[in-house]
Amino acid sequence: PPFNDSIKQFTLFGGEKHKNRLKEYLEECRRNDPSFPSWESVTSNECFVDKYGFRYNKSNEYALIHYICQQISIFYKSQPKLKEANLWETRLREWKKSLDPSSEVKSMIRSGILPKYRSEFWKLCIYRQVGDIKKSKGPNYYQFLCNLSNDLPRDIIKFDHQIFLDLFRTLPNNVKFCSKYSQGINQLQEVLRAFCLYNPNIGYCQGMNFIVGIALLFLDPEDAFWCLVAITEKFFLAHYFDCGLVGAQSDQHCLKQLIELKLPDLHYHLKKLDIDISTITLNWFMALFFDALPFETMLRIWDCFLLE
Amino acid sequence: MSGKSYQFKIVLLGEGCVGKTSLMLRYVQDKFNDEHLSTIQAAFIKKKIRIGSNSVELAIWDTAGQEKYHALGPIYYRGSNGAFLVYDITDIDSFERIRKWVTELKTSLGDDCILCIVGNKSDLEKNRNVPIKEAEEYAKSVGAKHYSTSAKLNQGVNELFLDISKRMIEKFESSENLESINHQSGNSSNKRNTIQVVDDSVVQQEDKKSGCC
């Protein structure tokens, strides 16, 4: 009934009044940065595609408004940082030379990176972890693995089947990953296969598809491959994604112990309700918060995670 | 006996991409979406239904399919009253995987859990690779019931959930009766004994199996 709808709208967005304010903010953003979408372009088409390639259906107005609010928020928050653009470039350049980030650049990143430096920053983080492995494998190693993919050894075939099944179940709402002709789908398959060949003991584990999918939104396939190597071998221990997910399981135990220690109220509450928290938290670890948080929030977590 | 309310937990298990999430979403939201994500985080949805004058609240748990996640199974299936062991009728490997789950569930949950073996994707009948007779016979041999479904065409899905709900009610009522009989005869440890007998038989089965492997 319309009455209920208007209440819902009122409680969520404050009705037309707040919507109109949003429009004003959006126009202001557009005056400063013409690449901002207009209210009409977001809401009047059947389908709106955001800057990462995610599709929003017109029928899902909540998601659209959330997206607009988030972009406006990012815009205003990054205004002071824009003045520091030169500083960002200097700091990242310094990092490139010294391999390790200075405490200054660390605190800058912690407080939020300027989006246009994200790709470069991720690359610095990744090769800081796996630069030595990459070097030891020699030049064109990734290309070498890709060429092997045409004739896969038998123990890889079972992984390859699962990879194939997951290709279209990774970022189906993103235009780069939605059809078998999409570039993202081919790259995703290429990277996951190459990883199986690189480390047949781990092979493919569901969850990697999300990690690589997100990496490919910011990196080219070779960097995304090394990103996966860094995550599976450096950020996590080697047995994290093994056949029994031993590492992932022990992390869940650690988390539970930490909760008991640091958040005893939560611990007893969960205990009383007989809830095993790993039923909620497993993918916070296995897929680094993918689908557990709004996309932009997840990116901030990735920034901090990769930095450590 | 009228107007009772029950709470049951059902878990969906099976190989990756057999349609566990689709079955759940078809039943709870009556939707079929080609665009959902591969499940790694088990999802959980509640649904209330009425059966006769009784109300039943189902807590449905969806799980990750890849073999690597098998070890995490107990987190999700513990305390389940019913389990759907789902395979894809076009994929014989997915059917083989069911056997593992059956053995494991029988060992950990005994006979407390109602097992349903579900051949999904019946819309792809022309590509069938799992002979229906073999599946039905296997189900019978392990004391489970066999169902054919298509989450895509919405065939057999409601029937599946309704049937398991009825069977879970029956099971619950008969174990309640058993308990009250035990209580009356003053033999409160009787039920425990029964469960131990079940465990023994399962262990024996396991021994046989490992013997032939």
Side-chain angles (χ1 to χ4, degrees), chain A residues 119-130:
Chain A
S119 298
E120 196 184 343
F121 158 64
W122 281 14
K123 263 191 260 182
L124 282 166
C125 293
I126 292 160
Y127 290 114
R128 180 182 167 215
Q129 301 292 338
V130 296

Side-chain angles (χ1 to χ4, degrees), chain A residues 25 117 126 138-139 143 181 199 243 265 293 300:
Chain A
Y25 281 127
Y117 295 113
I126 292 160
Q143 201 48 51
Y181 306 108
N199 191 340
C243 63
D265 288 351
L293 290 166
R300 281 291 298 276

Side-chain angles (χ1 to χ4, degrees), chain A residues 227-242:
Chain A
C227 176
L228 184 60
V229 174
I231 287 171
T232 51
E233 293 187 8
K234 298 288 179 167
F235 291 104
F236 290 136
L237 297 170
H239 54 263
Y240 213 88
F241 296 92
D242 72 3

